[in-house]
């Protein structure tokens, strides 16, 4: 497993990717698959799970609320 600083780097990278994804959801009409791809996820389901983990809601709901 990862230790200390490696985990922090990984977590902050994920957080950064999720912030970028949130911005894309708010400011563009890109599909979920496109948003996932733009922030570095090959799998839309992994992206959706990571987004929900960070924001507590699905990306589709986030887009409707913003």
């Amino acid at each position: 497993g990862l230790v200390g600083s490696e985990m922090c780097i990984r977590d902050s990278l994920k957080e950064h990717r999720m912030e970028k994804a949130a911005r894309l959801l708010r400011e563009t009409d890109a599909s979920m698959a496109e948003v996932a791809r733009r922030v570095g996820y090959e799998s839309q389901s992994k992206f959706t799970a990571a987004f929900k983990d960070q924001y507590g809601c699905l990306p589709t709901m986030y887009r409707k609320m913003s």
Side-chain angles (χ1 to χ4, degrees):
L2 299 175
V3 290
S5 61
E6 290 176 327
M7 281 179 70
C8 289
I9 290 166
R10 190 195 63 191
D11 289 347
S12 75
L13 182 65
K14 181 180 161 190
E15 202 171 298
H16 180 73
R17 288 158 85 185
M18 290 302 107
E19 284 169 9
K20 182 179 177 186
R23 191 170 64 248
L24 289 168
L25 290 168
R26 285 193 311 268
E27 298 173 3
T28 74
D29 291 327
S31 69
M32 290 303 140
E34 172 71 9
V35 171
R37 194 181 57 74
R38 283 204 211 170
V39 297
Y41 282 87
E42 288 176 25
S43 157
Q44 187 179 332
S45 60
K46 281 186 182 164
F47 162 70
T48 299
F51 191 93
K52 187 169 189 247
D53 195 42
Q54 170 106 3
Y55 288 99
C57 67
L58 295 172
T60 47
M61 290 300 298
Y62 182 89
R63 176 174 264 167
K64 284 180 185 149
M65 293 186 304
S66 54

